[in-house]
Amino acid sequence: MTTPAVATARVVCLAGDVAGGYCARLLADGGAQIVRVEDSSGDPLRRQSHSGLASGDSALFLFLAAGSTSVVVTNPRSEEHTSELQSHHDL
């Protein structure tokens, strides 16, 4: 069995939408290390719909964020934060 090409990739995900989250999920399923960047209020997908879970996270967020790690920064779109994260990641 061959190893997927993305298995060694390290990816920073700045997306706060379904399409970006799904791309990150596909990469994670292929073995990539995903770091999701959220602002202090959390990823908007966390509140997309109520799942009834104690965490309060939506089922959609839990599905898309599976296999990834989240970090919280005060301004995820600032060049300072993204440059620091990107210096340690491939994509």
Side-chain angles (χ1 to χ4, degrees):
M1 178 184 273
T2 61
T3 303
V6 298
T8 59
R10 295 170 300 172
V11 179
V12 175
C13 179
L14 298 172
D17 59 0
V18 175
Y22 187 65
C23 288
R25 171 65 191 256
L26 291 175
L27 291 169
D29 287 348
Q33 175 190 5
I34 309 295
V35 175
R36 299 174 63 87
V37 179
E38 302 181 31
D39 67 12
S40 56
S41 64
D43 189 316
L45 292 175
R46 287 184 184 271
R47 300 174 302 279
Q48 190 72 23
S49 63
H50 182 64
S51 64
L53 299 174
S55 68
D57 293 335
S58 72
L60 176 62
F61 174 80
L62 294 173
F63 171 76
L64 296 175
S68 65
T69 304
S70 292
V71 296
V72 176
V73 296
T74 53
N75 184 0
R77 303 287 186 233
S78 78
E79 193 168 323
E80 175 187 348
H81 288 119
T82 56
S83 294
E84 175 66 24
L85 284 168
Q86 289 173 343
S87 68
H88 301 289
H89 292 78
D90 303 315
L91 303 171

